Amino acid sequence: MTAHKEAIGFIGVGFMGQGMASCILAKGFPLTVMGHRNRKPVEELKAAGAQEARTPRELAEKASIIFLCVTGTPQVEAVINGPDGIAAGAKPGTIIVDCSTSDPGSTVRLAAQLAAIGLHLCDAPLGGTPAQAALGQLSTMIGADREVFARIKPVCDAWAQKVVHLGPVGDGHKMKLLNNFLSMGYGAIYSEALTLAQKIGITPQTFDSVISGGRMDCGFYQTFMQYVLQRDRDAHKFTLSNALKDVRYLEAVANDAGIPNPVGNAVKNVYAQAVAAGKGNDFVPMLSDFVASQSRLSLTDKG
């Protein structure tokens, strides 16, 4: 049965990628991963049956569908077009699936470049958390030709419970930036609301007793508050530096479209302040601590 499945390559087995790759293996797809500076996920995947490649070119020589789950556009461009990159080793007909949150303009340009040499690029950015990735419960929004989508969907189904085909290449990344504008915007609003609440005598616990289970509750709120209330650092493992990257990409899209985005600009500046203060490696729910500290408050102070 495995012989009838496409050979899969995976580059970027970090917080999200390791869980996704594990799900691909569990569904019986032959899998090759590329070495990572953090050896633990690579060794765990190899123990589960994956092969390892040393370079993107070597990986591309073994795979017909290649998933990328890296930081953003510069990393995607480097792994495709860099020395020993995917483009140098991929066979005609190979599909590259960019699951990163990337600049849609670059995605469209890369797709055109790769099409000229017989390769396909599509975008399939992610919704969800690393815990959901490990369980195969992510969502993905895909920009791809119909034929390409038909080939990648069985593999995406291995790690996603919701797979939406939006339209042509680039649409997935456009929608992902809109999605992250909402989530990062909520993160900034929660942080400011919790800080103001603490200042006027409403503790985070009291705040949560009203919001949780009400109309303003949502999955993002729950993971955000899991850190605020329980100090669980791993509740939402998405760094502030990545959040800032995404809202900056959104700003570029708005500029290109000629659309003002004053709220997006305000959200960007909250994350930019935190990153400039050295908090870039903190996770998004920890923004609440930074915002509170700017007013010399602590959300852990019970008063």
Side-chain angles (χ1 to χ4, degrees):
M1 185 174 180
T2 299
H4 299 293
K5 293 180 178 288
E6 299 218 41
I8 309 302
F10 207 109
I11 297 177
V13 289
F15 289 146
M16 300 290 273
Q18 182 182 4
M20 295 165 66
S22 295
C23 291
I24 290 170
L25 275 175
K27 292 297 184 181
F29 290 94
L31 179 69
T32 302
V33 299
M34 198 178 82
H36 193 270
R37 63 182 181 276
N38 179 4
R39 292 300 305 171
K40 186 172 181 290
V42 175
E43 296 301 333
E44 290 177 354
L45 288 165
K46 287 171 66 178
Q51 295 184 324
E52 181 180 3
R54 293 168 298 173
T55 66
R57 178 175 185 163
E58 181 185 336
L59 180 140
E61 291 169 348
K62 299 178 178 180
S64 57
I65 299 176
I66 302 168
F67 287 85
L68 308 181
C69 196
V70 295
T71 304
T73 292
Q75 293 76 21
V76 170
E77 293 177 347
V79 84
I80 291 175
N81 288 327
D84 280 328
I86 290 171
K91 299 175 286 293
T94 297
I95 299 173
I96 303 167
V97 187
D98 182 10
C99 296
S100 320
T101 302
S102 300
D103 173 12
S106 170
T107 302
V108 172
R109 289 190 296 272
L110 270 176
Q113 170 216 318
L114 292 169
I117 56 173
L119 306 179
H120 307 287
L121 177 69
C122 60
D123 42 323
L126 312 171
T129 66
Q132 289 174 305
L135 295 171
Q137 296 176 352
L138 295 176
S139 63
T140 182
M141 51 218 82
I142 298 178
D145 294 341
R146 280 196 297 268
E147 296 80 6
V148 169
F149 177 73
R151 279 181 62 192
I152 68 171
K153 188 176 185 298
V155 196
C156 294
D157 284 339
W159 47 260
Q161 63 183 0
K162 183 178 182 181
V163 178
V164 181
H165 184 201
L166 299 180
V169 174
D171 280 9
H173 282 146
K174 292 173 185 176
M175 185 64 222
K176 175 61 174 175
L177 293 179
L178 294 169
N179 180 84
N180 278 19
F181 168 45
L182 293 179
S183 58
M184 298 309 111
Y186 271 125
I189 290 171
Y190 296 157
S191 298
E192 188 170 314
L194 287 162
T195 297
L196 176 57
Q198 184 79 324
K199 180 67 174 180
I200 61 177
I202 303 292
T203 67
Q205 290 75 16
T206 301
F207 182 92
D208 183 64
S209 72
V210 174
I211 302 301
S212 186
R215 289 190 65 191
M216 296 308 298
D217 195 357
C218 64
F220 183 87
Y221 173 82
Q222 288 296 324
T223 52
F224 194 95
M225 294 302 291
Q226 190 173 329
Y227 170 75
V228 173
L229 299 177
Q230 302 170 28
R231 298 284 113 180
D232 180 1
R233 285 179 54 92
D234 294 335
H236 191 158
K237 294 168 73 171
F238 187 71
T239 65
L240 294 176
S241 59
N242 273 337
L244 176 59
K245 175 210 45 135
D246 291 354
V247 290
R248 280 179 166 160
Y249 283 166
L250 178 78
E251 185 175 48
V253 170
N255 288 342
D256 288 344
I259 295 294
N261 67 325
V263 176
N265 194 261
V267 170
K268 179 203 70 176
N269 286 336
V270 175
Y271 288 90
Q273 288 172 339
V275 172
K279 304 296 184 182
N281 289 327
D282 284 357
F283 297 135
V284 165
M286 299 166 72
L287 180 68
S288 58
D289 290 335
F290 172 75
V291 172
S293 74
Q294 296 300 100
S295 295
R296 299 185 179 182
L297 294 169
S298 170
L299 299 181
T300 61
D301 184 0
K302 300 299 191 294

